[in-house]
Amino acid sequence: MRIARFLVSASLLAAPALSAQSNAELMANDHYTRSHDYDLIHQRITVSGFNWDSTSFNGSVVTTLVALRSAFDSLILDEGALLENTSVVDRAGHALKTSRHGDSLVVFPAKAAGFGDTLVFTVTYRGRIKNGSGLTFITTDGMTHRPRQIWSQGEDHDNHFWFPTYDFPNDKMTWELIATVDRNDMAVSNGRLVSDVKQGSTHTLTWNQDRPSATYLVSLVVAPLAKIHDSWEGIPVDYYTYHADSANAWRLFHETPDMIGVYSQLTGVKYPWDKYAQTTVADFFGGMENVSATTLVDWLPDARAYADRPWYSYILIPHELAHQWFGDYVTTNNWANMWLNEGFAEFMPGQYWGTRLGAHAEQDYYLDEYRQYLGIEGDRSMPLASSGSNNIYPKGALVLEMLKHYLGERRFWASIHTYLATHALSGATSDDLRQAVLATTGENLDWFWSEWVYQAGYPQFTVTATSDTAGGSHTLTLDIKQTQQDSLKADSTGLKYTVPQAFRMPATIRVGTATGDVVQQVWLDAREQKVSIPLTSAPTMVIFDDGNAVLKRLEFNEPTAWLTNQLAQDADLWNRAWVIEALGRRPTDAAAGAALANAAQHADYYLTRVQAAQALDTFPAAVAAPALMAALKDTSAAVRGAAIRALSRVGGADVLSAARPLFASDPSYDVRAAALAALVRADPPGAHAVIAQGLSTPSYRDAIQSAALRAIFGVNDTTFIPKIDSMVADQQLPVHLLAALGAKGNTHALDLLAGHLNDSRRTVRQWTLQAYRFTLAGQNKALAVTQLKSAVDGIRFDDTKQAAGDLLKELQK
Ligand SMILES: [Zn+2]
């Protein structure tokens, strides 16, 4: 699964509750694995008669399972309480006794089975769905770009809301999915398409997933879809999009076969499934790695959007593809080890980009993960392997990259191959990965797992350097302290995570001198340690952790000359970013400014130029502006965007003349959005006209319109309110802007906002409630309560009325 980043922050996803336990138990890999008394073998799932008004359908599931105990006289499947069974019969067609308890179905075999016996039975039911639980029914709803459709979402425990099954990841099965849908609709599912039979106004598609996988990966998408066919080594690779999007599909997806090839080669495991489909759907949170049939959000970039490296092609596609090995082929046995799915899926795109584009592209990828990880650590520090862990994506990716650094490429990938081969088509926990490394390399990495998988936090180093000269010889002494605190508090259940007092890792120190670099390996393993390095002349540069082998935070107050030397020489992007931040804190230092100005224009990788441009925004205009003006001509849109943003903050006479042509005609949407903001800031009298132009300029993911909407909020230009209201149709941000202007005291905006609680479009009503929750309540909770109170009685739609009532109660708490 991959959730779009801004959706994560907007929806404040709640982590599952943690149960009380000791840390020792926490480290037990199977603590959270569910026990059951049978082995699920196969399900034949038949669905038909989908009704969008009542969110219902007809279902029938033939289940084959093997008893894992003697006197097997009852069995429990997970089955949503809304599924109404009309019959449960055995293989001979005889009715079986059953009972229902909440979301469980108990089936009593006609006679008790023995250990190892096979049972087959069929559940026929009328399926009803609380929309969004297991299945999501979507109507056109007055929106453009939204055909009527249905999509499933199983992870973590939602597939039993649409068919009875064992809904936990530690039991794999094969399955068939047979769907009867309207003639104009496609039904995409897992495995191979066996048949597609037309009958009147419908057709029936039979999909066969004949290699076992976990039940949360069973999937179905029903929609009018165009199919674009591609392949990798004879395996079908298909892209299903709305017909209106099919022209953008090839450009977006055509790298998939190459990614399949790279992943197959790196892991030594050839793509393991019959086909790979990617299907786009509406209102999706991001992507879901349903086995051989990934589901993706319908945000296909247009041709221009590629200038801004869209998240979709950079992360989403390679992330979900990686799950076909990590998650689908080898699956976490329980959700407390979910980092084995998500950490690897988040790690692998960096390997793909590194393989294709080189070391800088790889470091670029993990630097982004590092920033995300530190943000999460700021909220709460949790171990990778823990129930509801909040950092499994970025920390998982960073720890695996660190493990690769430690083991080296060949030993790392050989270990990963062992892990995949040992647990093929089966499950694993964190210790299984450690054992795969042990079996492959002979290294027992229990210390690494203890620090990075089972405990929380990361090392925070404070380094001080002293250089002694005596009798012509020089000694550099580094005082290295680990300052992270083991001070995490127990939560309400008594659960407390630990942070290592001292992380143990090998690292390299590189010292520049007039006669060349001196390189020394050290083991970091103590709260405080000293390292002395003999030199033949005074140091000109000191790189602590050359090559960035350790996930860390670093404080090291160095002379500007050391930093500028490092910036000019160090190939590693993490180290460069760290140096740039350090230089950026010295805005009155001419040498720091000159180094950043040089890097902003001439660094050999675009990201370094971006970061240097950003860091210049606190420097005097005389130092920063010439370099930023030059950076506006960079071939990289990211550099141009960073330069105009920084120039806008630096100010000066050139901002207007620089921003105007960028806003008018830069090929990048992001640069035009940045230029709009710069124009509004630099020229208040001209702001209205620029905003009006921005509001009517279409762009991918509404980048330019969103910049205009944010500018309206900034300058509080309420004359745009009717225009904002008219934009509510297809975008979410205008609703939030009404709420934000309302929070600033505009009653007209508040009236319009309340009106959308009765909008005929369900999606708009949901956006409106979100605007009350996140924007209005975020800025003025008392006002949000007053407004909702007065609106709630007048809401004509039951779903919205109830949700508004719930929100009101929540806000009043
Ligand atoms: Zn994922």
Side-chain angles (χ1 to χ4, degrees):
M1 190 178 337
R2 190 62 167 81
I3 298 170
R5 207 175 303 166
F6 77 87
L7 289 178
V8 179
S9 55
S11 61
L12 304 172
L13 289 167
L18 293 154
S19 59
Q21 60 187 313
S22 70
N23 288 316
E25 279 176 294
L26 182 80
M27 288 164 69
N29 284 263
D30 271 315
H31 178 72
Y32 290 94
T33 303
R34 184 184 181 186
S35 290
H36 61 314
D37 54 6
Y38 56 82
D39 178 11
L40 186 63
I41 303 296
H42 185 83
Q43 289 195 305
R44 181 180 166 88
I45 305 157
T46 306
V47 288
S48 63
F50 290 102
N51 185 308
W52 271 258
D53 293 330
S54 56
T55 59
S56 65
F57 63 100
N58 299 315
S60 160
V61 177
V62 183
T63 301
T64 305
L65 53 79
V66 169
L68 293 183
R69 64 174 166 95
S70 57
F72 188 75
D73 54 0
S74 68
L75 64 99
I76 301 173
L77 287 184
D78 301 300
E79 185 183 25
L82 291 180
L83 305 186
E84 293 168 17
N85 294 343
T86 50
S87 77
V88 180
V89 299
D90 66 13
R91 208 184 321 214
H94 297 131
L96 296 175
K97 259 178 55 185
T98 60
S99 63
R100 300 291 294 271
H101 307 272
D103 290 328
S104 300
L105 164 69
V106 185
V107 178
F108 301 92
K111 75 178 197 343
F115 176 80
D117 288 354
T118 300
L119 272 86
V120 179
F121 59 94
T122 303
V123 179
T124 306
Y125 58 101
R126 177 71 191 156
R128 208 151 49 81
I129 296 293
K130 180 174 177 274
N131 204 3
S133 293
L135 296 179
T136 297
F137 289 70
I138 290 173
T139 54
T140 305
D141 204 15
M143 323 282 275
T144 58
H145 195 251
R146 185 196 293 256
R148 190 185 78 157
Q149 57 192 274
I150 298 167
W151 46 261
S152 70
Q153 172 56 31
E155 195 174 23
D156 303 351
H157 304 118
D158 277 4
N159 267 345
H160 71 282
F161 291 124
W162 64 283
F163 65 95
T165 191
Y166 176 74
D167 206 351
F168 204 80
N170 65 328
D171 189 353
K172 294 195 169 182
M173 66 165 187
T174 54
W175 63 88
E176 295 150 275
L177 197 140
I178 300 125
T180 301
V181 299
D182 282 4
R183 203 172 184 148
N184 295 328
D185 282 339
M186 180 65 198
V188 183
S189 185
N190 321 92
R192 192 164 46 87
L193 181 61
V194 176
S195 64
D196 183 352
V197 179
K198 287 186 176 55
Q199 192 176 29
S201 63
T202 66
H203 63 144
T204 299
L205 300 99
T206 299
W207 293 88
N208 184 7
Q209 173 66 32
D210 62 5
R211 302 186 88 187
S213 198
T215 58
Y216 74 91
L217 298 164
V218 174
S219 71
L220 175 67
V221 175
V222 178
L225 297 167
K227 173 180 171 178
I228 290 108
H229 179 69
D230 204 347
S231 70
W232 178 76
E233 296 202 349
I235 296 172
V237 178
D238 297 320
Y239 319 128
Y240 293 96
T241 70
Y242 310 153
H243 293 281
D245 286 340
S246 60
N248 284 328
W250 183 261
R251 190 190 308 108
L252 174 63
F253 291 115
H254 84 278
E255 239 166 331
T256 309
D258 187 57
M259 291 176 185
I260 294 175
V262 169
Y263 288 177
S264 297
Q265 195 173 16
L266 289 175
T267 60
V269 173
K270 191 180 168 189
Y271 178 78
W273 311 111
D274 284 337
K275 65 126 193 322
Y276 189 54
Q278 294 172 97
T279 307
T280 63
V281 300
D283 278 356
F284 207 58
F285 49 81
M288 179 63 210
E289 67 274 18
N290 300 307
V291 57
S292 76
T294 284
T295 309
L296 299 165
V297 68
D298 59 357
W299 299 339
L300 283 81
D302 60 34
R304 272 195 171 202
Y306 290 88
D308 301 320
R309 196 173 70 182
W311 168 80
Y312 205 118
S313 52
Y314 182 57
I315 292 178
L316 185 62
I317 289 175
H319 175 106
E320 302 307 338
L321 176 65
H323 274 307
Q324 301 301 319
W325 286 260
F326 302 98
D328 297 0
Y329 187 64
V330 176
T331 306
T332 181
N333 270 335
N334 59 54
W335 299 118
N337 287 273
M338 197 177 180
W339 81 277
L340 292 174
N341 289 13
E342 297 303 344
F344 269 108
E346 194 72 355
F347 165 73
M348 290 298 285
Q351 301 305 302
Y352 176 73
W353 296 118
T355 300
R356 278 291 166 258
L357 304 174
H360 276 156
E362 184 171 337
Q363 295 160 11
D364 181 354
Y365 182 89
Y366 297 105
L367 188 51
D368 191 33
E369 298 293 319
Y370 174 75
R371 295 257 153 77
Q372 292 177 50
Y373 171 57
L374 286 194
I376 293 167
E377 276 284 330
D379 294 337
R380 186 183 180 197
S381 197
M382 292 177 80
L384 266 182
S386 60
S387 179
S389 178
N390 58 357
N391 57 38
I392 54 176
Y393 292 79
K395 189 177 186 183
L398 293 163
V399 167
L400 288 168
E401 179 72 349
M402 189 163 49
L403 182 64
K404 191 183 85 160
H405 203 287
Y406 174 82
L407 292 173
E409 295 263 351
R410 288 192 62 184
R411 297 203 307 161
F412 175 80
W413 288 113
S415 300
I416 299 309
H417 179 80
T418 304
Y419 168 73
L420 288 171
T422 307
H423 304 283
L425 302 169
S426 184
T429 60
S430 296
D431 196 60
D432 292 321
L433 180 61
R434 187 192 61 81
Q435 289 188 38
V437 180
L438 174 60
T440 309
T441 67
E443 278 206 57
N444 179 348
L445 295 181
D446 58 345
W447 58 273
F448 187 98
W449 257 244
S450 167
E451 286 173 9
W452 297 106
V453 178
Y454 301 131
Q455 296 189 74
Y458 57 93
Q460 303 189 35
F461 294 103
T462 299
V463 178
T464 43
T466 44
S467 178
D468 291 325
T469 306
S473 74
H474 299 259
T475 304
L476 176 76
T477 303
L478 295 184
D479 258 304
I480 303 164
K481 291 194 173 97
Q482 297 196 29
T483 64
Q484 67 277 4
Q485 296 296 323
D486 181 24
S487 57
L488 297 175
K489 293 199 171 50
D491 69 12
S492 59
T493 67
L495 179 70
K496 183 186 177 307
Y497 299 123
T498 55
V499 176
Q501 283 290 305
F503 283 81
R504 176 183 158 191
M505 281 296 282
T508 303
I509 294 164
R510 177 180 293 271
V511 184
T513 72
T515 50
D517 290 357
V518 176
V519 173
Q520 184 154 326
Q521 312 293 331
V522 291
W523 263 95
L524 303 168
D525 58 4
R527 193 78 180 154
E528 286 193 46
Q529 61 195 106
K530 267 192 206 310
V531 175
S532 291
I533 303 171
L535 304 171
T536 52
S537 61
T540 57
M541 168 186 85
V542 177
I543 302 177
F544 176 79
D545 190 14
D546 189 33
N548 187 34
V550 187
L551 170 57
K552 64 185 177 292
R553 224 197 263 262
L554 174 63
E555 271 181 46
F556 185 7
N557 190 9
E558 299 178 64
T560 298
W562 290 10
L563 295 172
T564 58
N565 286 339
Q566 186 180 351
L567 182 56
Q569 293 171 40
D570 198 331
D572 184 83
L573 293 189
W574 188 95
N575 285 353
R576 285 187 192 177
W578 182 88
V579 167
I580 287 170
E581 274 183 38
L583 291 171
R585 287 190 294 270
R586 301 176 188 190
T588 56
D589 185 329
L596 291 173
N598 184 58
Q601 298 168 79
H602 306 299
D604 61 359
Y605 191 69
Y606 87 97
L607 187 63
T608 305
R609 303 199 296 279
V610 165
Q611 290 164 344
Q614 288 167 342
L616 280 169
D617 74 353
T618 57
F619 281 74
V623 176
L628 294 172
M629 288 297 287
L632 291 175
K633 298 191 174 61
D634 203 286
T635 53
S636 158
V639 177
R640 298 196 300 278
I644 191 64
R645 287 184 173 98
L647 191 64
S648 172
R649 286 188 284 269
V650 167
D654 294 333
V655 179
L656 270 181
S657 61
R660 272 202 193 100
L662 293 178
F663 177 57
S665 59
D666 195 278
S668 149
Y669 295 131
D670 180 64
V671 173
R672 295 182 71 189
L676 182 151
L679 287 173
V680 168
R681 184 173 172 152
D683 179 27
H688 186 90
V690 169
I691 291 170
Q693 198 185 336
L695 287 178
S696 60
T697 306
S699 53
Y700 176 62
R701 305 286 304 134
D702 308 313
I704 296 172
Q705 288 177 323
S706 296
L709 290 168
R710 285 193 197 93
I712 291 172
F713 181 71
V715 300
N716 202 19
D717 185 342
T718 55
T719 63
F720 281 113
I721 284 176
K723 173 69 180 169
I724 297 165
D725 194 51
S726 75
M727 292 170 67
V728 166
D730 285 309
Q731 293 181 41
Q732 195 170 2
L733 189 59
V735 195
H736 284 270
L737 185 54
L738 289 177
L741 292 172
K744 277 189 176 180
N746 189 289
T747 51
H748 185 39
L750 287 173
D751 289 344
L752 292 169
L753 182 68
H756 289 299
L757 289 170
N758 274 318
D759 200 295
S760 61
R761 298 159 294 197
R762 182 170 170 268
T763 312
V764 173
R765 298 198 300 275
Q766 289 171 336
W767 290 347
T768 307
L769 282 171
Q770 285 168 9
Y772 275 100
R773 178 194 294 271
F774 295 115
T775 303
L776 191 56
Q779 293 174 33
N780 189 338
K781 196 165 158 184
L783 182 64
V785 169
T786 313
Q787 288 292 312
L788 263 181
K789 236 186 209 164
S790 66
V792 102
D793 284 339
I795 299 175
R796 296 192 302 274
F797 299 91
D798 289 344
D799 58 344
T800 309
K801 189 167 192 157
Q802 172 151 11
D806 292 346
L807 176 58
L808 187 57
K809 270 184 226 146
E810 191 188 314
L811 293 177
Q812 283 172 322
K813 261 186 207 155

